[in-house]
Amino acid sequence: MPLKLTEADISLVLSRFYDRVKVDDLLGPVFAVVHDWDEHLNRLAEFWSSMMLTTGRYKGNPLSMHLAHAERFQPEMFVRWLDLWKQTTDELLVPQVAREMQARAKRIASRFSVIICGQELPSLDPQITATSAAPYRISSLFNEQTLPRALLGHHALKPGTWAVVRVEEGSILYRDLDAPSSTTLKPDMPGLVPPEIAHSLELTGPVQLRVEFYDRRPLEPHQN
């Protein structure tokens, strides 16, 4: 059954949600960096439109935008963000749609908390801290012809397993289920793959890459 959700619903949810965020004791100071709220809300509407209605309107990279302000974030902020999101979506949307948007938000918050803060959400899992762990396995060198077909379809790493995709020549697109746009991986831009996040690789031309596997979160790929 199609979700009973419209662009107008998304705009209303975002408007009320961020009215709460802006005056929240924990989140308000973080979002004080936003100077043009009309533009910010418009981009957020494009993001959720792409996520929920598959419109493809959003073309940005939300993770990179948040990483630019990584020093401002703490894991408990993502928990508070989810609390306000649940409150707002429960108020404004039918239960089925509210639950779906809450599930999407929870996956996004969990991923951002791990990648930005190096910790799982406090209310969900024990703390995982970034370390300079060495990979326990490194794949052979793949090219566009030998890359396993399974990596081109949506799949996920096992719990506790991390990976780094290192491109040696060319480029490849990295997509995950909870992102409306892809990331281009290339020799100077490896990709960090968290556990249990559905993702895929997409060929764009000739490429050579390896995949490193870790039993804990490594430091950011460029630091290894």
Side-chain angles (χ1 to χ4, degrees), residues 88-140:
T88 306
T89 50
D90 280 344
E91 287 177 359
L92 299 176
L93 302 174
V94 298
Q96 176 199 0
V97 178
R99 286 193 298 269
E100 178 62 22
M101 292 193 77
Q102 290 159 16
R104 291 292 183 99
K106 185 175 180 180
R107 290 196 292 268
I108 294 167
S110 179
R111 178 170 178 262
F112 278 28
S113 180
V114 168
I115 294 176
I116 295 173
C117 302
Q119 297 182 20
E120 299 284 354
L121 292 178
S123 60
L124 301 176
D125 296 288
Q127 172 176 319
I128 296 178
T129 304
T131 71
S132 56
Y136 66 80
R137 181 164 68 87
I138 302 176
S139 75
S140 57

Side-chain angles (χ1 to χ4, degrees), residues 51-72:
M51 289 285 290
M52 301 300 299
L53 304 177
T54 64
T55 60
R57 292 174 54 203
Y58 184 76
K59 306 300 182 184
N61 186 327
L63 179 57
S64 66
M65 295 175 66
H66 285 75
L67 282 170
H69 303 284
E71 75 283 354
R72 293 176 171 267

